[in-house]
Amino acid sequence: MEKALDIDNSDPTLFFKFAAVAIRAGDLMAARNALEVSFRVTHTVPGQQIRHWPSLDLLISVTYKLEDCLACLRYIEWALKVNTYNHDRIHLFFF
C-alpha cells in the first residue's frame, strides 16, 4: 500500500480497493479512514463534483454499519446535493 501511495496518492480507486480489503478483514475503521482520505487527497470537498461515486456509496454504508448516524447522514446529504437531478440513480448498499 505504501509503495502504491508513493507512486500515486491521488487515485481514489486505490483507496477504494484498500477499503474493500479492510472490510473483508473485518476492519471497518480502516475502511472508513481509507475512504475519507481518498476524498481529502483528491481535493473533493462538499459542494464539488465527486470523483469516485463507489467510494462515497461505500463510505455511507461503512458509517451506517459503524452506527455513526451523523456522518452517514452528512455523506448522504453531500451525495444528494451534488447529484440533485439524479436522485433515483443513487443506490445505497448496506452489507
Side-chain angles (χ1 to χ4, degrees), residues 61-86:
S61 298
V62 167
T63 53
Y64 176 82
K65 190 73 171 175
L66 289 170
E67 297 180 0
D68 187 349
C69 297
L70 291 178
C72 183
L73 289 172
R74 269 196 322 269
Y75 291 125
I76 291 169
E77 178 186 34
W78 182 21
L80 293 174
K81 278 183 180 178
V82 171
N83 197 12
T84 57
Y85 60 91
N86 252 344

Side-chain angles (χ1 to χ4, degrees), residues 5-21:
L5 288 173
D6 288 341
I7 295 170
D8 183 11
N9 71 349
S10 65
D11 181 11
T13 60
L14 175 65
F15 293 97
F16 179 79
K17 290 175 184 176
F18 177 79
V21 169

Side-chain angles (χ1 to χ4, degrees), residues 11-54:
D11 181 11
T13 60
L14 175 65
F15 293 97
F16 179 79
K17 290 175 184 176
F18 177 79
V21 169
I23 289 169
R24 279 188 232 121
D27 192 350
L28 294 178
M29 282 305 297
R32 177 183 183 168
N33 291 337
L35 293 166
E36 288 177 341
V37 167
S38 76
F39 289 110
R40 283 196 297 270
V41 299
T42 57
H43 307 293
T44 305
V45 294
Q48 288 185 347
Q49 187 61 33
I50 296 167
R51 285 185 54 196
H52 196 250
W53 278 98

